[in-house]
Amino acid sequence: AQTVTQSQPEMSVQEAETVTLSCTYDTSESNYYLFWYKQPPSRQMILVIRQEAYKQQNATENRFSVNFQKAAKSFSLKISDSQLGDTAMYFCAFGDNAGNMLTFGGGTRLMVKP
Amino acid sequence: DAGVTQSPTHLIKTRGQQVTLRCSPISGHKSVSWYQQVLGQGPQFIFQYYEKEERGRGNFPDRFSARQFPNYSSELNVNALLLGDSALYLCASSSRTSGVGDTQYFGPGTRLTVL
């Protein structure tokens, strides 16, 4: 079974600054998928970014980018030019190769301060 | 295009009762997954259905059941409710065009409170 660990329960960042959220995972699979989801107070889970394990290039999506270290089983999210609307819970998730289920970490609460 | 929709938004039940939650996937998506999110934790996988067949089941008791209809909508049923079943229930849909690594898109959830 896979496990996903987010070691930072809470983080804060000043508006316009950069913040990095950490995620580590444990799996015996060689092909899998990793995701970062954002859950604002409205509770809707929104996809932020996705990474295929077979790709060496780190995924980017506008102000969001990841640092994927497969050997270290690490998948961190960097948010550049933080905005007030980035305030939310952020969840790291592991997707197995069968596509049946996502395994989530415990989440990191991010507060962007003006 | 409409996203994943869920009903009802909120629900209050008492212990021992039964509840049915409903989900409509994004148009064109044939797979629906259900997750339970207890307050302060990450979501936990309950079920996945694809083409009306169960394709995955998480570590939940038999009190939890689900089904998928020909239009790909889905229902999650929970019998003999316990206080610990109080949670946000999330539905997610994916296209499963390749069957692997499909991104799951989530609905707004149903908040279930068991008194």
Side-chain angles (χ1 to χ4, degrees):
Chain A
Q2 292 80 23
T3 59
V4 178
T5 302
Q6 294 180 246
S7 60
Q8 305 151 314
E10 294 187 3
M11 294 192 71
S12 64
V13 63
Q14 293 296 131
E15 196 175 6
E17 293 188 346
T18 296
V19 65
T20 299
L21 308 183
S22 301
C23 172
T24 57
Y25 58 93
D26 189 22
T27 183
S28 58
E29 296 185 17
S30 58
N31 192 21
Y32 48 87
Y33 300 79
L34 296 164
F35 304 86
W36 278 99
Y37 283 90
K38 165 186 175 182
Q39 188 177 41
S42 66
R43 80 190 185 205
Q44 177 102 36
M45 195 78 76
I46 301 166
L47 176 70
V48 175
I49 201 164
R50 159 197 166 111
Q51 173 80 44
E52 290 84 356
Y54 63 85
K55 290 186 177 179
Q56 291 187 342
Q57 186 173 6
N58 289 324
T60 62
E61 194 71 41
N62 300 316
R63 299 183 295 108
F64 300 88
S65 61
V66 298
N67 183 4
F68 173 49
Q69 301 289 329
K70 191 173 183 178
K73 296 180 181 176
S74 171
F75 183 61
S76 61
L77 174 69
K78 185 172 82 170
I79 305 174
S80 304
D81 186 25
S82 297
Q83 300 176 0
L84 296 178
D86 294 334
T87 293
M89 283 291 292
Y90 286 81
F91 291 97
C92 177
F94 176 100
D96 63 16
N97 199 39
N100 289 338
M101 61 179 283
L102 294 175
T103 301
F104 285 84
T108 295
R109 184 178 302 279
L110 176 68
M111 173 73 72
V112 179
K113 298 179 178 179
Chain B
D1 286 341
V4 178
T5 59
Q6 292 186 244
S7 63
T9 304
H10 296 92
L11 206 51
I12 299 175
K13 293 285 188 178
T14 57
R15 281 177 296 176
Q17 285 189 313
Q18 176 264 343
V19 68
T20 298
L21 311 181
R22 295 176 176 83
C23 171
S24 292
I26 292 171
S27 178
H29 283 191
K30 298 181 178 181
S31 178
V32 169
S33 299
W34 288 94
Y35 294 83
Q36 180 196 64
Q37 186 179 19
V38 173
L39 191 63
Q41 298 181 17
Q44 297 285 320
F45 173 74
I46 310 175
F47 286 111
Q48 186 183 83
Y49 277 77
Y50 174 65
E51 291 281 16
K52 295 171 287 181
E53 291 188 4
E54 182 182 301
R55 292 303 181 96
R57 172 185 282 258
N59 188 24
F60 280 80
D62 292 343
R63 300 185 295 108
F64 289 76
S65 63
R67 56 179 175 168
Q68 187 176 35
F69 298 99
N71 66 352
Y72 304 112
S73 67
S74 177
E75 287 181 351
L76 175 69
N77 295 285
V78 187
N79 294 322
L81 285 167
L82 304 174
L83 295 179
D85 295 330
S86 295
L88 179 67
Y89 287 84
L90 296 167
C91 174
S93 77
S94 63
S95 60
R96 279 192 72 107
T97 50
S98 64
V100 294
D102 290 325
T103 296
Q104 295 189 20
Y105 298 91
F106 285 82
T110 293
R111 171 73 64 191
L112 172 64
T113 301
V114 182
L115 301 177

